[in-house]
């Protein structure tokens, strides 16, 4: 047997090993949340598209929810509009809202859709306004058009999954009068994960996962349960940006999602590795 | 009879008269093209939403294609970007393309979707990038990212109609590499009308219809056939803006659409009146 | 704007107003009971056929139950057979029963079916003997072949509605041995309304509705609830002929029908006006 | 072997023998035409109902077409109306037409339906007016309301067969205006047999079959083909009453029906014996 | 009427009588257990195949479970292998197991399948290894590869019945590791009868039925209920070979099977006679 | 890179690379032929079961056809029966036929079925006798019960694939009388591949593939087309055992199969590597 054959056998082993994972998730729903920053990194974006295409091909129902913070900030700068923060959240006046919608729906969403289509997965973009999918109410009058999700109408998602599409969802919602609102994408993702009965909820971030001690690379947590996560929050061991993500995970698990993952989206094929190989590459949060 | 139909019997007559028209279009597909300017007029926009909701309720499969010229120009002005015209068409560089996408998808499209949802029709927004629905190629290198439709993938439209949604489609397309292009909305509308097998193609404009003699109000043509239309073009009797509309109509009729209409979208309930009453209020172009 | 356009707009308003009513009843079942006398009046009969065709076209599942008292009496006269009344009900011997069946099924039923077919609604005639749909037992031995409904087999109705037919049902039933019985059509209508889960039960009569004081035209009741109706009966304020109708309404409401209407069937388009316009033209009995 | 098959083994043989015939007709359509006179004979009527119920139970799609000559004549006598014959056919004025409809639909049809229901086969009565099933035109102005079938709309039959009903059809039709016409039942049966794609067409009469020499019992023909049948007609060897039956058979065979049978309906279980045993008891006409 | 006609009428009566039995079992499931010895008798085997084909043709869902005791013993003799009995059961070492599988699956099962196919019923052979249909565990280590059924996976049976196949099942099972086991066929039959919701469970043996007094032909029991059967066992009135059969019947009845029959499979058409004629030819055990 | 792919990224690459192959074969049918000798090698057998399970999980419709030469010869020896060869083929008398059936169906087939079930693919065993799937006729009277396939009834295969089963088929057939015949498994495989419309036909043998010069390892052919294959035969460059395999391939390609492969079944994961990696490990025969 030559070296070539040996490598070949190793390849076969990888596929063979993946089999049990594929079997476990075929026919199940997986919700993936990704921030806007990932799409500034072309390699990461393409690798994500390829991974989601893989998931879809082996029969997993994939739903993608995306944000777009960096792109919105950039667009505001171009319009010479200064971001105002109230209670730590971006105040959203009518002009900011319009700009947000234009960036999320008219730019990021359609780019992701095209990336997925080119990677061979058929995808369609949605926002919470489509079929009034995300019914929201105002979070706080001082914040302007910032909403919080009250009801998720899963009809558009169910219909698209039925035809093997990957729905790509921008985190905006509408109230009963049809008024648009901006909504935090992590929170939207958690709510949708519960509403569609997702088996798994994956949060792609720009850190490798959660740390026992913030700042110490060695303390990366590879597995934790919801109780552990609550303890972690209560001891202030999380970075500020991680708080809404962790809260969205806790609410998803409470709502019945089996497990959640925090992965570094910048790592090539992070989703594939997390789901289809025995090795962990981020933090997995088990329900319990 | 006074301006308000006082008599309940008269009301019953109106409904009863509408019956044969309802019956004729139930289960059929109607494509409606509307320009961006209509949505600057709130009354017209709401009346259109109500009319489409009526069509949907009585079983007509409605597909809406929209443009957004005025809004794009306004956005360019805000960005202090000067429109450049080559051979009578807007040159579309990368920046203009991005702006166009943001305005069409992130602003106009989602507004129409919300208007329809509030009017009681369930609707979902689409662009040619969704499921690579509109496959285009570049029209002319000098024009930049301006495309012309080569293939229409009707899957997303068919799926949405199957669940009684009104698909709202922005006139942009993609090439095989996923690159976005701007496409003339009249031309998109005509191509989609043929691809989905529409029975009727309605163009909402801001004039009452076609005129025998341009400028003479009395010469409004209430019915014409495709031969007549070709004659009209050859004798230069049409305004310049009407040319692409008329060409899109001719190509739709050639592709098998039964008849086309040019209506004044600013007139309240123009669609309802054109389809469900015996009186004509615009120009109808019969196939033949 | 000319006078013509004004009237045109008024037409559009009527259609537009009807939309919410159409939407409310699409996919719902409505049972209409009509006496034989209506079919002596050609205009009323044609208008009813047109109204039911409208209902069917906009997606309402229509079921028609009819009687035939005047026609039966006329046929008996032709046969020189004297009607005998026992306890206020027509005694039905074997010969009378045969004559009743011949008039109801062989004459009135097939005429209604043809009227509806010509009006564009597809319809099929049924009697309680078809698939033993109305299982009855003898009401009183002295009355002979007069039955009261014990069970309704809704299979034939369900099957026909499934294919958008209007079932036209004559009020006769059979016992387990297959023996035919005559049954009061109001009572049959109420029982079927409950069995098929009708949303609405409309009784077409030859009076405008119920009166607070019988004989005083001004006292027409436009809306009442079941408690009010019971009070009305107990104070002897109803004409004798109205009693079985009112009882059939009360039993239908008790069985879960949402609301009932007593309308003057001789009024042209009475059904359309009652269902699709905000104005009331008869007496509506609400459940409650 | 005595008249009652005593031996259980012999019983088993009969069932076992029937197997290949059952298998041949399961899922196939069989049209049976029966004259009105059969229903004057209670034993024959009940035996027919039992046989059709057997056919239906083993999966044969049964359609019954019936006439009613004797009963119509009797009713006319009761009404002191003298039959008038023109060119050998009964002249049908408006009064005669009404009487015919009353007898066929209101008496015979509903009696057959009840007989079948009691015998355990679910059945529904139809006439050519239901869903305008039999579209006719006038045969000859002198004959009045006597029609000939132009088109058969098989929808009502198809729908009922789909739910394992036996449609029982009275031979009357309507023109496009909804006007009723009387139609010869043999002719209706032949037309329907072709329209529904019947495998077999069985004519129940009151003679044992066709004779080589009319009047000679020994000359009963047990099998013949269409050529033979045409020869038989051309040599005037058929009774006058047999002519329309034989013509209806020829037209059915020409339209694709596999074979036709002329049986004596008065013979108990004649249908069962003809279809499910190797012995012939009437005349079978093969296509060819 | 001649003798021929008389016999013919008698035939019709047999068919007509069978109708109510056919109707009762159409769409129901019947499990039939047959021992290997029946297939040593060609006439009995062919008659059984013909009877099952009849059942299938009239819409009964038939499942056949078979043993093969005599054939296994014969094969062991050919291999000069002496049967060893422990606690009254055949000890099954690895070699015996292989031989059993070869005889049951490779010989008897495929012969029955062919017999049925030739008799016009479409059939497919199965063993408990197919789709791990019969999950067993070892009965007793001393007995070797003798198993007892723990779970029945009815998927393969349901799928085949759906397409009107007759599944022919050999009484062998597998444990979770895929190891084959021999299982008593009576016990397998009773378990499957319950698992598939059989209406009737028929045991074909080589005796006419159960006897009140074993050995006295006159004391054949034609009907008994489960209580009676338990009494019979407790009073030692059954032959030793009958015990596992009777236990399998009791467990089937307990599991919800409506009734069970013990018939003499050597009697030609025994199944047909038992199910489709009023006469009893064996012992019927009613549930209760 | 070492023999074990250590790097997780490399793993991800393998999966990612496999994606396009998975996508190409999802929903397609692949027929795999394997000789009996493979099941004498436990590692090869388990690896094959795992590979087929992988194929099934990613949506490929797998059908397995197997032979059993070595096992049949061994069984004959045990029975002290000397194989007789006529014209190079094994003469099959009645006793040899029975033994063949017992070995193929009662031993090898059920073992493969269990291997697949344990590997997580649901499988059911079939022979050509099931639903008379392989209709054969005698090849040559001198050879006895050796048949050649005349017709393939794909119903049982289609039904099982519909429910995601892997049908495992032993190469035996029946004639119209139900008589069993032995059939060459290579020939059966090629015929079934064509009948079921297989995309790919894989022959697992115990050599690495075809050689340009028989005996010279270096001359292994990695790709050839049917013309090349015919040339190879004509120049006597194939071993004798390879001839029926190559003929079965040529007939499969002629019948429309897209491509065929000759692989060494003893090599672990040979099927997976051949289908899901870019490297070739045997000989691929392209259609053309």
């Amino acid at each position: 047997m030559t070296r070539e054959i040996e490598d070949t056998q190793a390849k076969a082993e990888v596929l063979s090993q993946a089999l049990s994972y594929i079997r476990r998730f075929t026919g199940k729903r997986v919700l993936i949340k990704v921030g806007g920053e990932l799409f500034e990194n072309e390699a990461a974006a393409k690798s994500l598209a390829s991974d989601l295409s893989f998931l879809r091909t082996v029969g997993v129902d994939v739903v993608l929810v995306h944000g777009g913070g960096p792109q919105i900030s950039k667009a505001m700068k171009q319009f010479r509009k200064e971001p105002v923060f109230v209670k730590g959240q971006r105040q959203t006046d009518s002009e900011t809202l319009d700009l947000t919608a234009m960036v999320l729906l008219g730019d990021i969403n359609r780019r992701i859709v095209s990336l997925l289509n080119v990677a061979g997965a058929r995808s369609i973009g949605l926002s919470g306004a489509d079929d009034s999918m995300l019914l929201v109410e105002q979070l706080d009058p001082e914040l302007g058009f910032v909403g919080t999700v009250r009801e998720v109408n899963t009809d558009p998602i169910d219909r698209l999954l039925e035809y093997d599409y990957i729905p790509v969802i921008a985190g905006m919602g509408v109230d009963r009068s049809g008024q648009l609102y901006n909504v935090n994408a992590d929170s939207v993702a958690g709510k949708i994960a519960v509403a569609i009965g997702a088996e798994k909820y994956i949060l792609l971030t720009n850190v490798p996962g959660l740390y026992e001690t913030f700042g110490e690379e060695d303390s990366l947590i590879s597995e934790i349960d919801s109780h552990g996560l609550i303890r972690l929050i209560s001891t202030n061991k999380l970075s500020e940006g991680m708080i809404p993500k962790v809260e969205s995970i806790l609410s998803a698990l409470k709502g019945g999602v089996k497990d959640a993952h925090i992965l570094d989206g910048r790592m090539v094929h992070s989703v594939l590795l997390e789901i289809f190989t025995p090795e962990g590459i981020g933090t997995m949060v088990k329900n319990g």
Side-chain angles (χ1 to χ4, degrees), chain A:
Chain A
M1 259 212 238
T2 68
R3 169 81 179 273
E4 204 184 85
I5 291 288
E6 285 167 20
D7 287 359
T8 298
Q9 280 302 337
K11 281 191 174 189
E13 280 310 319
V14 172
L15 289 171
S16 198
Q17 244 181 22
L19 176 57
S20 63
Y21 299 97
I22 292 175
R23 201 176 282 151
R24 196 186 304 160
F25 291 105
T26 286
K28 300 288 167 36
R29 293 177 165 191
V30 169
L31 188 133
I32 291 156
K33 156 71 200 355
V34 60
E37 63 282 4
L38 190 126
F39 300 98
E40 312 272 279
N41 174 342
E42 200 185 318
K46 283 199 171 166
S47 145
L48 176 63
S50 159
D51 287 8
L52 300 193
S53 183
F54 188 94
L55 281 168
R56 181 64 271 173
T57 298
V58 299
V60 181
D61 281 346
V62 179
V63 177
L64 188 70
V65 172
H66 68 88
Q71 290 91 339
I72 295 167
S73 299
K74 207 171 93 188
M76 286 184 78
K77 228 176 277 169
Q78 282 182 290
F79 270 90
R80 296 181 187 88
K81 205 167 155 65
E82 207 57 46
V84 179
F85 283 84
V86 173
K87 299 173 186 168
Q89 293 221 38
R90 194 198 312 253
Q91 205 185 43
T92 303
D93 59 13
S94 175
E95 213 179 341
T96 307
L97 180 74
D98 286 356
L99 213 55
T100 301
M102 287 166 78
V103 169
L104 284 182
L105 308 181
D107 192 56
I108 304 180
N109 190 277
R110 59 107 183 149
R111 281 184 202 276
I112 302 176
V113 163
S114 280
L115 267 171
L116 285 169
N117 285 333
V118 168
R122 307 175 68 189
S123 107
I124 284 182
L126 291 175
S127 82
D130 287 308
D131 196 18
S132 306
M133 180 168 66
L134 299 176
L135 194 70
V136 306
E137 52 187 44
Q138 200 179 34
L139 193 60
D140 181 339
E142 278 187 70
L143 288 171
F145 296 107
V146 174
T148 177
V149 175
R150 281 297 160 235
E151 278 177 47
V152 178
N153 162 21
T154 64
D155 276 3
I157 300 174
D158 293 338
R159 297 306 169 237
L160 297 185
L161 290 179
E162 204 173 302
Y163 287 104
D164 290 355
Y165 281 116
I166 297 184
V168 176
I169 304 170
M172 305 197 80
V174 286
D175 66 13
R176 293 200 188 275
S177 77
Q179 169 63 46
L180 196 71
Y181 283 81
N182 191 12
V183 195
N184 175 279
D186 292 320
S187 149
V188 163
K191 293 274 175 62
I192 293 180
V194 171
I196 64 170
E199 192 83 2
K200 212 183 242 315
Y201 169 27
I202 296 175
L203 260 155
L204 295 180
T205 64
N206 50 14
V207 293
L210 299 177
Y211 290 94
E212 197 58 65
T213 311
F214 181 57
E216 282 182 28
E217 274 202 25
D218 283 2
S219 71
L220 183 70
I221 299 165
S222 70
E223 199 178 311
I224 193 170
D225 67 7
S226 30
H227 304 299
L229 199 54
I230 291 166
R231 222 176 306 121
L232 215 60
I233 299 171
S234 66
T235 53
N236 296 312
K237 283 180 168 164
L238 299 173
S239 69
E240 205 176 333
M242 197 52 89
I243 299 292
K245 293 180 197 308
V246 160
E247 281 173 347
S248 128
I249 282 177
L250 284 172
S251 96
L253 295 177
K254 206 177 152 191
V257 173
K258 290 253 175 74
D259 50 55
H261 300 256
I262 298 177
L263 308 182
D264 191 341
R266 298 165 308 178
M267 186 177 174
V268 173
H269 293 312
S270 53
V271 171
L272 221 52
L273 288 168
E274 184 72 12
I275 302 192
F276 294 117
T277 69
E279 299 88 349
I281 61 144
T283 300
M284 181 185 196
V285 190
K286 296 216 149 255
N287 205 339

